[in-house]
Amino acid sequence: MSLSSRLRALAADPDFRSGARDMASPSLGLAAWGLVTGVTMVKSGLSIPLACGMSLLVFAGSAQLTALPLIASGAPLWVLLATAFCVNLRFVIFSAQWRNYWAHLPRWRRLLSGYVAADLNFVYFVKRYPDATPQPGQQRYFWGGVAVNWPTWQVCSFTGILLADRIPTHWGIGFAGVLALLGLSYALLTERMLWWVAVTAGAVSIATYALPLKLNILCAIFAAGAVGWWLDARRARA
């Protein structure tokens, strides 16, 4: 079977179509966030080639937006790396869960899947397959979501990069990106413990906002992690 025939068969697969359909609903928020990230990269001083490379290689909007002001301010490399690591620490947790579904796959497929897997891919996948065991159709469903999520982000990010100088700041696109990110975060708050963690992170971030080099973000992450650990340990003892 030729490659084109395989792609047509995949596009007609019901699991693939379900994954694409589920991811289509939040795609407008993803588009706004990708556009904001692209504009911000250029307005922070990155050249167009560097911004395009960062969009393709990093593929993590929150880490990109967190790192940009640190790069612009000349922050030490350890602060930059530590901040990006902490912001993306959730993906370590996600990967531990993905392992239950993907452990049987070849390494190169696991690495590729890990690169394109974003927050909402995880949310919708676990919602559809709550039993953490390999099942038929899982990979097709996952790649259906990726077929919408990854191109939406990259196209909008590249659009923001190329049109950054033509998009006035008074349009308030940054606020649209914040709303998009809040919408994505809300989808992850599925139990009371997570709400306490989110409230802690927000409160500490505001209380330590005056710290230099965006260190308030690190403080918020560590405080929220501590609260989550304490609540989880308390629930385990109950």
Side-chain angles (χ1 to χ4, degrees):
M1 181 181 293
S2 64
L3 178 60
S4 60
S5 299
R6 291 181 180 179
L7 292 177
R8 284 195 297 269
L10 182 63
D13 183 87
D15 293 310
F16 182 91
R17 294 168 69 91
S18 294
R21 185 168 54 251
D22 287 345
M23 193 59 64
S25 57
S27 61
L28 185 60
L30 291 171
W33 193 237
L35 184 65
V36 169
T37 304
V39 171
T40 305
M41 284 192 287
V42 174
K43 290 188 178 295
S44 296
L46 291 185
S47 65
I48 289 180
L50 283 177
C52 292
M54 189 177 192
S55 180
L56 289 170
L57 294 176
V58 178
F59 187 46
S62 55
Q64 289 173 250
L65 291 177
T66 303
L68 287 172
L70 298 177
I71 295 174
S73 64
L77 181 60
W78 72 267
V79 174
L80 177 63
L81 295 177
T83 303
F85 175 79
C86 290
V87 169
N88 275 350
L89 193 59
R90 66 194 186 278
F91 285 105
V92 177
I93 301 172
F94 292 167
S95 65
Q97 184 73 0
W98 284 123
R99 186 180 186 278
N100 297 319
Y101 299 95
W102 295 345
H104 65 288
L105 297 175
R107 180 175 298 175
W108 70 269
R109 287 188 60 180
R110 282 179 279 155
L111 291 173
L112 178 61
S113 299
Y115 162 69
V116 295
D119 301 77
L120 284 180
N121 295 111
F122 179 81
V123 171
Y124 283 110
F125 187 92
V126 173
K127 182 179 179 180
R128 183 178 176 92
Y129 300 102
D131 185 14
T133 56
Q135 300 176 34
Q138 287 179 342
Q139 281 290 296
R140 294 189 295 274
Y141 178 84
F142 172 78
W143 285 103
V146 169
V148 174
N149 182 50
W150 193 87
T152 297
W153 176 269
Q154 298 298 348
V155 168
C156 293
S157 180
F158 274 62
T159 300
I161 291 169
L162 297 176
L163 299 180
D165 294 333
R166 300 185 181 182
I167 298 179
T169 55
H170 66 263
W171 281 10
I173 294 179
F175 183 66
V178 171
L179 292 179
L181 186 61
L182 287 175
L184 301 183
S185 301
Y186 180 77
L188 299 174
L189 301 178
T190 56
E191 55 181 293
R192 182 179 298 180
M193 183 184 74
L194 296 178
W195 277 99
W196 279 111
V197 170
V199 169
T200 300
V204 173
S205 177
I206 294 172
T208 58
Y209 184 77
L211 291 177
L213 302 177
K214 301 290 184 180
L215 291 176
N216 63 312
I217 297 176
L218 292 180
C219 293
I221 291 171
F222 283 120
V227 169
W229 174 83
W230 179 75
L231 290 174
D232 188 58
R234 182 179 179 184
R235 183 171 60 180
R237 291 194 301 266

